[in-house]
């Protein structure tokens, strides 16, 4: 309700208003949490003026140099858990081991945890592409470079 007591209309973007832009993020020395929160914002489309929580206005996000991500705190001693839902389906991997073998899984699980738990989250997570090196095959889409200002301050 506004001041006069009239109901305020909810903005609903039309299908023609929904565009899916492409962004590329360099993960070199970026803290995992900062990277995940910025990528989740881009995947949901919250950076657009036409954002609506019920409409799929998200962007495509490409993350390069996933193996050079910065893990803070004592995450190297902790484990990442995943369960298939079946008996004996618990999968435990340490962050140190995953950083060498599969850093894409670390980043994807962090971003997945920051997306809302609804029907749109799978479609938004499908627009995420993570690459270990600096090259990616999506140059024809002309992705814009998204710069994350603060990088890790820890000395390596």
């Amino acid at each position: 309700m506004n001041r006069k007591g009239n109901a305020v209309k909810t903005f609903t973007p039309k299908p023609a208003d929904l565009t899916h832009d492409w962004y590329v993020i360099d993960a070199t020395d970026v803290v995992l949490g900062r990277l995940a929160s910025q990528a989740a914002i881009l995947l949901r489309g919250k950076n657009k003026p036409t954002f609506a929580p019920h409409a799929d206005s998200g962007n495509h996000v490409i993350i390069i140099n996933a193996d050079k991500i910065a893990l803070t705190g004592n995450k190297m001693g902790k484990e990442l858990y995943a369960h298939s839902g079946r008996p004996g389906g618990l999968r435990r991997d340490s962050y140190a081991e995953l950083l060498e073998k599969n850093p894409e899984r670390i980043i994807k699980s962090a971003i997945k945890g920051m997306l809302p738990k609804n029907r749109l989250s799978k479609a938004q997570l499908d627009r995420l592409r993570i690459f270990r090196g600096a090259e990616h095959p999506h140059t024809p889409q002309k992705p814009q470079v998204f710069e994350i200002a603060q990088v890790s301050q820890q000395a390596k």
Side-chain angles (χ1 to χ4, degrees):
M1 297 275 189
N2 60 8
R3 281 190 254 162
K4 295 181 181 178
N6 300 331
V8 179
K9 303 270 184 185
T10 302
F11 172 73
T12 302
K14 309 286 184 281
D17 297 338
L18 301 177
T19 59
H20 304 292
D21 302 326
W22 286 77
Y23 291 96
V24 63
I25 301 174
D26 187 6
T28 306
D29 292 333
V30 178
V31 177
L32 177 63
R34 287 190 188 277
L35 174 72
S37 64
Q38 292 298 319
I41 287 170
L42 290 174
L43 286 171
R44 289 195 68 199
K46 290 189 87 171
N47 61 330
K48 297 179 180 180
T50 58
F51 171 73
H54 61 280
D56 189 14
S57 61
N59 303 303
H60 295 268
V61 176
I62 304 163
I63 298 177
I64 57 173
N65 294 322
D67 53 346
K68 297 180 183 137
I69 190 126
L71 295 176
T72 57
N74 59 352
K75 283 190 197 75
M76 288 298 194
K78 293 190 177 181
E79 293 179 331
L80 183 65
Y81 296 96
H83 202 289
S84 67
R86 296 193 159 271
L90 180 64
R91 184 172 168 188
R92 300 164 44 171
D93 297 309
S94 69
Y95 277 98
E97 179 181 301
L98 279 175
L99 195 58
E100 292 176 15
K101 292 182 182 175
N102 192 0
E104 297 91 354
R105 184 171 160 220
I106 294 174
I107 296 172
K108 189 169 185 172
S109 73
I111 294 172
K112 183 179 179 181
M114 293 190 182
L115 289 175
K117 282 50 173 183
N118 58 19
R119 294 179 189 175
L120 283 177
S121 66
K122 181 175 180 342
Q124 291 167 348
L125 199 62
D126 286 343
R127 290 199 186 96
L128 175 68
R129 288 150 181 99
I130 305 170
F131 297 99
R132 188 179 298 238
E135 290 83 30
H136 62 87
H138 302 288
T139 49
Q141 283 78 22
K142 298 183 179 103
Q144 304 170 26
V145 175
F146 187 81
E147 200 67 38
I148 296 180
Q150 189 169 358
V151 296
S152 175
Q153 277 107 26
Q154 64 184 9
K156 291 191 175 190

